[in-house]
């Protein structure tokens, strides 16, 4: 498959967080070309947002994977053991979150029949099935963005006293979607903007917007601060 390297890279990034490797690690790892010269990989750690790989690292740690001797060093990822199989199972679990989120949203907006139909139709598009079986972060980005959009655009929502909590979770899910994959950024930004416009003018809008910004910054700022520092 053309995207096979992407899937391997996500696993390597999970190993990076699991083993606490040198922040200068590149992906793919350094290699010797035909002339014998050492070439660096194409991507650095900050080249991709971390949420999917960190989720994979969590599941790998539960399976007893990891090599403490590699801490602070670069790795060639040559000793993978059963780690990739564990990571692929973890990726399937993370990707599968799209299915209940879409079913629940269909139930919320259109009722039980639409929810059941959505659940059945989701198994027909080969693109969704393909993306759910491989180690790709796009589906987690999609369902986190959908949750952010749902909370931000949900009708009138709760009373004004609940605007702060709704804004915070909108921002947190939106920031999480961006951390899963950068492609979610424009969609999340649009959901944030519409959410602000739909709120009633006055203190409720200001409160909701402030809490939404706080949730998004809580999700995104630590990663960017660390990425800039390395």
């Amino acid at each position: 498959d053309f995207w096979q390297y992407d899937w391997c890279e996500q696993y390597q990034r999970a190993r990076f967080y699991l083993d606490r490797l040198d922040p200068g690690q590149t992906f793919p790892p350094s290699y010797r070309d035909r002339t014998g010269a050492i070439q660096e990989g194409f991507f650095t750690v900050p080249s991709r947002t971390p949420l999917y790989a960190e989720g994979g690292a969590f599941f790998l740690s539960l399976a007893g994977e990891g090599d403490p001797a590699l801490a602070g060093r670069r790795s060639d990822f040559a000793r993978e053991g059963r780690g990739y199989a564990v990571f692929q199972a973890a990726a399937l679990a993370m990707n599968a979150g799209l299915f209940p989120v879409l079913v629940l949203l269909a139930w919320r907006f259109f009722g039980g029949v639409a929810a059941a139909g959505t659940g059945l139709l989701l198994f027909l598009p080969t693109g969704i099935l393909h993306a759910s079986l491989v180690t790709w972060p796009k589906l987690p980005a999609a369902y986190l963005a959908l949750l952010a959009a749902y909370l931000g655009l949900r009708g009138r929502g709760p009373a004004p006293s609940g605007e702060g909590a709704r804004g915070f979770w909108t921002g947190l899910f939106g920031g999480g979607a961006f951390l899963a994959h950068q492609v979610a950024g424009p969609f999340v930004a649009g959901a944030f903007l519409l959410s602000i416009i739909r709120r009633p003018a006055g203190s409720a809008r200001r409160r909701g917007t402030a809490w939404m910004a706080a949730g998004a910054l809580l999700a995104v700022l630590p990663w960017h601060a660390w990425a800039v520092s390395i």
Side-chain angles (χ1 to χ4, degrees):
D1 193 294
F2 177 77
W3 296 106
Q4 184 175 359
Y5 172 71
D6 255 19
W7 311 336
C8 293
E9 184 193 347
Q10 289 297 333
Y11 171 68
Q12 292 172 356
R13 287 178 177 274
R15 299 291 310 205
F16 168 84
Y17 293 110
L18 176 69
D19 295 326
R20 300 181 181 182
L21 300 179
D22 178 0
Q25 177 75 48
T26 57
F27 306 91
S30 302
Y31 62 96
R32 290 188 181 275
D33 62 19
R34 294 180 180 179
T35 67
I38 296 178
Q39 302 290 340
E40 293 291 338
F42 309 120
F43 302 110
T44 62
V45 174
S47 297
R48 295 185 188 271
T49 47
L51 188 62
Y52 195 72
E54 288 178 340
F58 171 74
F59 284 105
L60 286 169
S61 70
L62 294 181
E65 291 290 316
D67 186 353
L70 290 174
R73 299 167 54 190
R74 293 197 184 193
S75 174
D76 59 4
F77 304 108
R79 298 189 302 275
E80 296 178 352
R82 63 192 179 97
Y84 189 79
V86 173
F87 179 68
Q88 192 159 30
L92 177 60
M94 291 188 287
N95 293 344
L98 177 72
F99 293 83
V101 167
L102 286 178
V103 170
L104 288 172
L105 289 179
W107 175 79
R108 170 65 177 81
F109 287 110
F110 305 109
V113 174
T118 299
L120 294 174
L121 290 174
L122 282 174
F123 289 93
L124 297 181
T126 56
I128 291 179
L129 293 178
H130 181 258
S132 66
L133 293 173
V134 298
T135 57
W136 248 348
K138 291 184 174 64
L139 293 190
Y143 63 72
L144 288 170
L146 284 171
L147 287 172
Y150 167 67
L151 289 172
L153 306 177
R154 184 180 59 175
R156 299 188 175 207
S161 59
E163 287 294 324
R166 184 153 66 98
F168 176 80
W169 286 105
T170 299
L172 195 66
F173 280 127
F178 176 77
L179 287 182
H181 198 290
Q182 298 98 314
V183 74
F187 300 99
V188 171
F192 284 179
L193 181 60
L194 288 174
S195 175
I196 293 170
I197 293 173
R198 286 172 65 96
R199 280 181 165 83
S203 61
R205 176 181 292 182
R206 291 192 296 272
R207 186 186 310 115
T209 302
W211 278 104
M212 185 165 57
L217 289 174
L218 179 65
V220 174
L221 196 58
W223 156 251
H224 278 281
W226 178 80
V228 169
S229 70
I230 63 174

